[in-house]
Amino acid sequence: MATKIGVPERIIGVTMVAIGTSLPELITTITAISKKQADLSVGNIIGANIMDLTLIMPISAFVAGKPLPISDMSAMIDLPACLLVGLIALVPALLREKFSRYQGFALLLIYAAYVAVTCFI
């Protein structure tokens, strides 16, 4: 349906991967926040990302039998966007030990900019 309305395949793919990998963390985080256990939600998010980087990526490379390729587009747009989101999400939270609405607003703006840049490239 998305391709029929002109959404680039790149956006569709990134969105599907993001939903598939982040939905369990989102549910856990919402549950932890509703039970007033913010430490659990932060630990879950950080732990899941560390697990993805230190376990899932190497296993994928091992199964493929060769290094995983990365496109020029990913190196120029996706990786810097991930680093920026990580910095905005984690650094202030680790320094102040809480999240702010401004962080959420900034993350939404970055996501909108990322989608816009990705659609027009």
Side-chain angles (χ1 to χ4, degrees):
M1 287 176 23
T3 54
K4 291 185 187 225
I5 61 171
V7 176
E9 289 183 11
R10 177 176 165 75
I11 295 291
I12 297 168
V14 168
T15 303
M16 294 303 294
V17 169
I19 290 171
T21 58
S22 299
L23 195 57
E25 282 79 24
L26 178 64
I27 299 300
T28 303
T29 299
I30 290 171
T31 303
I33 290 171
S34 70
K35 293 181 179 182
K36 307 287 186 211
Q37 297 178 351
D39 292 342
L40 179 63
S41 65
V42 172
N44 180 53
I45 293 168
I46 294 171
N49 288 319
I50 290 171
M51 184 67 80
D52 286 345
L53 292 173
T54 60
L55 184 64
I56 304 304
M57 295 289 286
I59 288 174
S60 298
F62 178 75
V63 169
K66 58 184 177 182
L68 297 176
I70 182 168
S71 69
D72 292 337
M73 186 72 66
S74 290
M76 291 186 330
I77 294 175
D78 296 340
L79 292 177
C82 288
L83 290 172
L84 182 62
V85 165
L87 287 173
I88 290 174
L90 292 177
V91 172
L94 292 173
L95 294 176
R96 291 189 319 234
E97 296 183 3
K98 62 181 179 178
F99 292 98
S100 70
R101 291 180 191 258
Y102 299 111
Q103 282 175 278
F105 184 68
L107 291 170
L108 285 174
L109 286 176
I110 290 169
Y111 177 70
Y114 172 78
V115 170
V117 166
T118 306
C119 284
F120 295 116
I121 289 183

